[in-house]
Amino acid sequence: MTWDKILVDVAGMVLIAFIVWFFWLVKTKGVRAPLASGGYQEQMVLVKGGYTPDVIVVEAGKPVRLNFVRQESASCTEMVLLPAFGKSAKLPEGEIVPLEFLPKEPGEYEFACQMGMIRGKLIVEG
Ligand SMILES: [Cu+2]
C-alpha cells in the first residue's frame, strides 16, 4: 500500500460517510427536541441562511423552548414568527433568544422569518 492509495481509500470512506449521513439526514423526520431541565423540550436552532435543524419534533402537552441563535446579519432573518402559537421574537445577531410555548394539539406548525422566505417546521406528536 502506498500513501496515495491510502489517501484515495480514506477519501472514498469520507465520501461514503458523507453520503450515508446526507441521506440519513434527509430521510429522518426532523430532530427530536430532547427533554431538558424544568420539563422543557429544548432545542437549539441555528439561524444562518435558513434554520438548522429546520424540522423539529416535539411531544404535545409538554412545554417547548426553542433557542434561536442568529449568526448572520442579513435582515431577512432578524425576526422569527411562530404564528400558530402567537409567538414572535427579534433575533439580535449572536444572541440566544428563547421562544417558549406549550403545544397542545398534535400537528405540523410552521415557523418562518417575517417575510416567510426562510421556513422551518415544528411537528407536534400526540
Ligand atoms: Cu426573510
Side-chain angles (χ1 to χ4, degrees), residues 75-77 113-118:
S75 63
C76 179
T77 52
C113 72
Q114 71 269 36
M115 293 158 274
M117 290 146 69
I118 311 272

Side-chain angles (χ1 to χ4, degrees), residues 67-89:
N67 293 314
F68 288 89
V69 188
R70 177 166 162 251
Q71 302 214 325
E72 65 181 356
S73 52
S75 63
C76 179
T77 52
E78 68 190 359
M79 275 195 83
V80 64
L81 311 179
L82 188 60
F85 299 95
K87 293 281 177 182
S88 67

